[in-house]
Structures are given as structure tokens and as C-alpha cells.
Amino acid sequence: MPETMTTSRPIAATEQPTSRSRTIGFVLCITTILLGVLDSNIVSSATVPIVHDLDPVHGLDRIPWLIAAYQLAATAALPLYGKLCDSLGSKNVFIAAIATFLAGSALCGMAQSMAELIAARALQGIGGGGLMSVTMVVLRELATPRGQADGKNGGPGTTSDSAKSGAGVNGAGVNGGKASGSGGGGNLGGIIAGAGMALGPWIGGTLSDHAGWRWIFYVNLPVGIAVLAGAVILLKLPAHTTRHRIDFLGAGLAAAFSTSLLLVTEWGGQDHAWSSPLIIALLATVAVTLGLFLRRQATAAEPILPLSLFTVRSMRTGFAIQGLVGAAMMGSIVYVMIYLQVVRGVAASSAGLFLIPMALGMTVVGLASGRLVAAGWSQKTFVVSGTVCASAALALLATLSTDTSLWTVRAAMLMMGLGFGQLVGQLIELIQDTAPAHQLGVATTGVRFFQTLGSALGASVFGTVLSRVYAARGPGGSAGGIGELTGAAHQQALDAFVSSTDVVFYCATGVMILAALLATRLPGAAARAQKA
């Protein structure tokens, strides 16, 4: 498939962001991030009423597709979004992503069958893939004037006087010793995304219980339409003047690779045996599409994920850390919820309240670390500290038993938030600081791409570990039948299940320790400034 040449219109003076337009844009972006993150996991708490309403006989078997459809579509679209931002301008792509997401939300709310809902959920995911990643690009462009960024990174654009005089150190737009970009919108956007991820299941359960499951989709419409109108009318960003080619073949290969990999993680060892022809065929597809994608990225005139990004130590290390963090974070949320409901008998809506300490910790420490980075502290310091703190929290969760105080769980979730709060924003900021200005879009979406893949792989591996350990230690049968057991068999099942979740948390602790070791290899601010 040929690459498509696109040319953006000249920069208009009215499109340079003013102080007022930056404030408006910031509010629009934060609202958009909340929409995207909440919708990525809000369905998990509403599956029972959805199945009861649409397909009470066979609907439960289709729930995995309902949840996976959004993730598959969002992940497949991520690499293309980055290149579109760099080619067409982030404002245009931002508007298109919101419009697609709203169309999918409306169709989800109107669905009359599970098949219709799954298809609409996939459309919603295509738009949702851009809500987080493209919004991070918009936040960065609002925080750092393009002229400074371009001058610093040597990318296309006009080099401003402030950049010539060294004001663009670390891509943060430093002026008079204050960073206008680093520690700003991108960092807070990451924190709010993490908090939204923690609160999504609780919000979904509340809406489903009190307003009906369709409102978990309809609630997006008034908020999303307001954001869309604000973006069209009020959002001002510099337009692009450089000519770029969009590598649709590369985007297609990336989508095929990520979709095949996610299907393997969804089905392997659970719905289908690892040795089944379907899983073997999918694994072969993963290998072939990955090889073709890497070859395409090495030969394409303008690849969607340039391999040159991986020659920069901070970027390749940051991508790896983000993938590991995604795996550990997903495991911590999912399996704490499972422990509370299966072992401690906590209702689903009440279990969601245990995520509030995590959300609180992420928000508070994220804001504080952003301010300290803006004051001159190294981002590496917080990435190392965050991975160590998250490792300690996961190690504490690995000590859970059938009668552990629930305050211990809350304390562990607070520690988890304090750790992840230092990571989710600072990793994005660090990679954006390092990326050439003309590749800001692909670098930012690359972070999200690796995080999503890490989350999917982590969920699959942890799920397999839980099933295997429980099968070896339990009284027989699957963990899903624990509630039907009585007497000694029930107690044995609970003990086996708790020990199985402890093994999962030990594995997650190992993942975070690996991330901490990688974090120590990140260059400090002084090293990055010397390279600039």
C-alpha cells in the first residue's frame, strides 16, 4: 500500500495559543482524558445487567468480546494516531477522535443485542484510542510553544529567539528558570488518567445500579459534545507546514500484530489450549506481522514508529518501563478486586471504594512531583522512587490471608497510588522531553502503545498463574465455583485462592523490581540537557 502525502495549511497567527486558550485547552484535555480512561474499564462492573437485558442465555459467553473489543480497537489505532498528529496537526486529529468516540458511545447505548453492542464498542474504541494519546500531544503543544520545541530538537519549524539562547532546555520551554512544559499538563493528564482508571469500575457500578447500564454510555454524550464544540471553536494550536507521508501499510501491520497478540493473551490457556491450532496460528501471525512491521519501519520514508526512537536510551528504557508498569498496575487493580469479592465477600460496588486511596495517592503525589520537577528536580528521581514504592506495595499485598485487616488492603492501595502517581505522568513527560519535536506524536502514542500491550500481557500471564496455582492447591474445580462449596472444602478453596493471589502479587512485585532496575539506567536531567 502506498504512503499518502499530506500537506497542512500555513500557520495562522490566530492559531498560536494564548494564555486564555491554553487554559481552555487544558480543561478540554483533562475532561477528554477522563472520558477515555473511564470508558476503557467502566463496562467491567456492568456486565451482569447488560447480559440480563440483551442476552440472558448466551450473553455471558460473549462478555470477553465485549471487554476486549474496546481494547483491541484502541490499541490497533494507537500507532496511526501518532503519525496523523505529526502530519495533520493534533487539533484536527483530536476533534476526529472525539467525534468517533461519541458516535460509538451513542450506538452502544442504543444497542439491542450483544453483537450490536460489541460492534459499537469497537467503534468507540477506535475513537477512545486517541482520547488519551492525542490529548497528551495537545497538552504538550499547549504547554510548550512549538517554536521553542522545534529549535531545541532540531525538527522542522521555526527556531525562536528563546530557543536559540538556550531557553528550551529539556524541551520544557524553560524561561527564566521556570519550566512551562515539564511537570505541566502532560504530567497532570497522566495522573488524572491513573485516578480515572482506579475509579472507573466504581462509577460504572453506580450508574448501572441507579440509572441503568445504557447510561454508562449515554453519559459521555453531553460531556463529549461540549468538549467537541469547545475544541472546534476555542482550541488554538499551531498548524503544521511541513509535508509528511502517512505509512498506512505500517499502521496496518502494527494493528495486525497488536490485535493478534491481544487475542493470544485473551484466549491462550483459558478459552483455548496453548497447543490448539487457533493459538498456534495466532502466535505465528504475531511473529510474522512483527517481522514485517520492523522491516517496514526500517525502510519506510516516514515510519509510524521510527526505529530511530529506540536509539535514544531514555526513550527505549522509558518504553520498557511503561510496559512493565502497565502490567503491574493492571494486575494490582484486578486481583485486589477479586480478592475482596471472592475471599472477603465484599460487594462489587463496595469493593470499588477500596480504589479511592489509590486514586487519592496518585493525584496528590503526582501533583507534588510535577511541581518539584518544574522547580528543577530530576524526573529520574521520581521514576526510581515510584517503582520502588509500587514494589513495596505489591510485596505487602503478597502477604494477604483470609483474615487480613481490610485496613492493610487500604494502606497497600494508598502506597500503590503513591508509587504509580510518580510514574504515570513523569514517564510521559520524560519521553516527550527527549523526543524530537517533529516526532512528538509518535513518541507519545508509543508510550500508550507499550502500556496497553503491557497491561494485556500482564492480565493474561497473571490470570494463567492464578488458575494454575489454584488448580494445584484447591479442592478441585475452577475458582469460579468457590461460592458453591461448603464446610471444609470451602475453607480449603479460600486458602488455596488466597495463596494463589499471593503468588500473583509476588510476580507483580518482580515485574516492578525489574522496572526499578531499568529506571536506574535512565539519564538524569543534566545528561539529557547536555545531549540537547
Side-chain angles (χ1 to χ4, degrees):
M1 184 180 297
E3 296 171 333
T4 300
M5 182 77 74
T6 63
T7 305
S8 56
R9 51 196 171 85
I11 295 178
T14 57
E15 292 185 343
Q16 296 297 334
T18 63
S19 177
R20 178 175 176 270
S21 65
R22 285 192 179 98
T23 301
I24 294 172
F26 182 80
V27 173
L28 293 174
C29 287
I30 295 304
T31 306
T32 303
I33 289 172
L34 278 174
L35 281 177
V37 176
L38 289 175
D39 236 75
S40 67
N41 56 14
I42 201 172
V43 171
S44 61
S45 57
T47 53
V48 173
I50 288 174
V51 168
H52 183 268
D53 187 22
L54 295 182
D55 190 353
V57 178
H58 303 292
L60 194 61
D61 296 332
R62 298 180 181 179
I63 285 299
W65 276 109
L66 176 61
I67 296 174
Y70 186 98
Q71 187 180 43
L72 288 170
T75 305
L78 270 173
L80 185 57
Y81 271 124
K83 194 61 183 179
L84 287 173
C85 283
D86 292 332
S87 301
L88 304 177
S90 56
K91 176 179 176 177
N92 294 328
V93 183
F94 181 66
I95 291 171
I98 296 173
T100 304
F101 175 79
L102 291 177
S105 296
L107 291 173
C108 283
M110 294 185 292
Q112 298 300 312
S113 68
M114 288 295 291
E116 289 181 11
L117 182 58
I118 291 170
R121 186 72 172 153
L123 176 63
Q124 190 187 34
I126 293 174
L131 294 192
M132 181 69 176
S133 56
V134 177
T135 304
M136 288 298 185
V137 180
V138 174
L139 282 169
R140 184 64 176 196
E141 291 191 342
L142 287 170
T144 305
R146 178 165 292 274
Q148 290 182 9
D150 290 349
K152 172 254 177 189
N153 288 301
T158 303
T159 304
S160 67
D161 292 338
S162 59
K164 289 178 182 177
S165 63
V169 175
N170 292 331
V174 178
N175 186 8
K178 298 234 179 180
S180 62
S182 187
N187 179 65
L188 184 56
I191 301 310
I192 292 180
M197 185 181 298
L199 294 175
W202 175 72
I203 294 175
T206 301
L207 283 174
S208 179
D209 290 343
H210 299 286
W213 67 265
R214 295 182 187 275
W215 278 97
I216 68 175
F217 302 112
Y218 285 147
V219 74
N220 295 330
L221 299 182
V223 179
I225 290 172
V227 172
L228 184 63
V232 172
I233 300 170
L234 302 174
L235 184 60
K236 306 297 180 183
L237 292 174
H240 291 224
T241 58
T242 52
R243 296 167 63 85
H244 289 281
R245 292 174 176 175
I246 301 176
D247 181 15
F248 286 107
L249 176 58
L253 289 170
F257 161 72
S258 57
T259 300
S260 301
L261 181 61
L262 291 177
L263 286 176
V264 168
T265 63
E266 287 285 336
W267 292 341
Q270 299 182 45
D271 298 326
H272 302 276
W274 287 107
S275 59
S276 66
L278 176 61
I279 297 300
I280 292 175
L282 283 172
L283 288 171
T285 303
V286 169
V288 171
T289 52
L290 176 60
L292 292 174
F293 174 72
L294 292 176
R295 181 181 179 184
R296 178 64 180 177
Q297 298 314 286
T299 58
E302 294 195 39
I304 61 170
L305 186 62
L307 300 184
S308 60
L309 294 178
F310 296 90
T311 63
V312 182
R313 186 176 67 177
S314 59
M315 297 198 70
R316 66 173 178 267
T317 306
F319 287 152
I321 294 172
Q322 191 73 42
L324 295 172
V325 169
M329 187 173 182
M330 177 62 70
S332 63
I333 293 175
V334 170
Y335 291 99
V336 166
M337 294 297 98
I338 291 175
Y339 165 81
L340 290 170
Q341 294 177 63
V342 173
V343 178
R344 308 307 295 270
V346 179
S349 57
S350 299
L353 297 176
F354 281 78
L355 296 175
I356 291 179
M358 180 177 177
L360 181 63
M362 292 182 71
T363 304
V364 172
V365 79
L367 291 172
S369 62
R371 290 181 179 274
L372 291 173
V373 167
W377 287 47
S378 171
Q379 291 163 328
K380 177 181 177 179
T381 300
F382 294 104
V383 176
V384 172
S385 173
T387 51
V388 170
C389 186
S391 298
L394 286 165
L396 178 58
L397 288 173
T399 66
L400 294 179
S401 65
T402 55
D403 57 357
T404 298
S405 170
L406 293 180
W407 285 105
T408 300
V409 179
R410 294 184 180 96
M413 297 309 290
L414 177 61
M415 287 179 59
M416 192 80 65
L418 295 175
F420 286 136
Q422 297 177 70
L423 294 171
V424 292
Q426 295 304 330
L427 276 170
I428 293 173
E429 287 281 335
L430 187 149
I431 289 175
Q432 288 180 329
D433 284 353
T434 310
H438 65 290
Q439 292 180 330
L440 177 62
V442 294
T444 303
T445 53
V447 177
R448 291 287 300 157
F449 185 70
F450 282 101
Q451 180 182 352
T452 304
L453 288 181
S455 298
L457 290 172
S460 173
V461 172
F462 293 155
T464 300
V465 168
L466 181 69
S467 299
R468 295 289 175 86
V469 175
Y470 180 80
R473 300 178 180 179
S478 67
I482 292 178
E484 300 175 2
L485 300 175
T486 58
H490 183 258
Q491 186 59 45
Q492 180 187 355
L494 288 180
D495 291 337
F497 190 83
V498 170
S499 65
S500 301
T501 57
D502 287 346
V503 172
V504 168
F505 287 124
Y506 276 125
C507 292
T509 302
V511 170
M512 284 307 302
I513 290 174
L514 178 57
L517 294 174
L518 287 175
T520 62
R521 296 181 54 81
L522 288 170
R528 296 201 309 275
Q530 195 172 24
K531 277 189 173 185

